[in-house]
Amino acid sequence: MWYQMTGSKTHLPTGISSIAIPTFVNQTFEPGIEIQFTRAFLNDFITDRRVNVVDRAQADSVLEGTIKTFRIGSVAYDAEGFVSEYRTTVVVDLTLKRRDGEILWKENNLSESRWFRTSSGVLLNEGIKSAAIQNIGALVAERVRNRFFYNF
């Protein structure tokens, strides 16, 4: 009988064994969101270990991302009428290219949303919002990595 670990096979295009993930482009007014998303993608691909994450000069492929939209809106209020919960939505465009520039995969308007509860402190709210953005980045990175390995 032959056994094989589930999830170990991939369907990558021929010749792709490494990837570069340069800093995402931020087209929003949310400062630093590009860093959070880039880190999320780097962490996800590095942890997965099915392709080597390397510098652009050594990579077989490059995954480029553009953060097009960042929206935040109130969705719940307390008894006094103050916001108690926000919804955060991020929209990104992603393109996977071979080193020579050939586009292997492209997805525009990939969207993800998360809700977060507020606090009475402004600084704490910024931290909570930042955590929500990191969570969105991690979820989008996981979705994209799964497509990267299984949809080719």
Side-chain angles (χ1 to χ4, degrees):
M1 202 174 264
W2 177 258
Y3 293 97
Q4 181 174 334
M5 290 193 53
T6 303
S8 62
K9 288 226 180 215
T10 62
H11 302 282
L12 292 175
T14 306
I16 302 296
S17 63
S18 61
I19 188 169
I21 304 173
T23 303
F24 281 32
V25 174
N26 182 1
Q27 293 181 340
T28 76
F29 293 110
E30 182 64 24
I33 194 170
E34 73 280 8
I35 303 301
Q36 292 174 299
F37 264 72
T38 305
R39 271 193 201 136
F41 273 75
L42 286 168
N43 288 340
D44 200 73
F45 277 82
I46 289 169
T47 302
D48 184 84
R49 297 168 49 171
R50 283 183 273 185
V51 292
N52 295 321
V53 178
V54 297
D55 186 75
R56 190 177 205 135
Q58 290 93 28
D60 300 325
S61 62
V62 179
L63 179 63
E64 297 173 339
T66 300
I67 303 167
K68 293 175 41 178
T69 307
F70 171 78
R71 287 189 304 265
I72 187 167
S74 52
V75 293
Y77 301 88
D78 64 17
E80 290 89 34
F82 293 106
V83 176
S84 62
E85 193 170 356
Y86 286 102
R87 178 178 184 206
T88 306
T89 302
V90 178
V91 178
V92 297
D93 287 349
L94 297 162
T95 305
L96 178 67
K97 299 177 182 178
R98 283 192 193 275
R99 182 192 321 228
D100 64 9
E102 174 192 356
I103 295 175
L104 298 171
W105 174 82
K106 186 172 189 159
E107 175 132 7
N108 290 330
N109 300 315
L110 183 60
S111 177
E112 188 66 57
S113 297
R114 283 293 165 263
W115 289 261
F116 67 93
R117 296 188 85 40
T118 63
S119 166
S120 59
V122 174
L123 288 178
L124 185 56
N125 278 338
E126 281 300 310
I128 294 168
K129 179 178 83 172
S130 180
I133 292 169
Q134 288 173 4
N135 188 285
I136 291 171
L139 289 168
V140 172
E142 182 180 13
R143 281 172 53 191
V144 168
R145 178 184 40 84
N146 285 333
R147 290 179 188 174
F148 186 85
F149 289 120
Y150 299 115
N151 285 351
F152 280 107

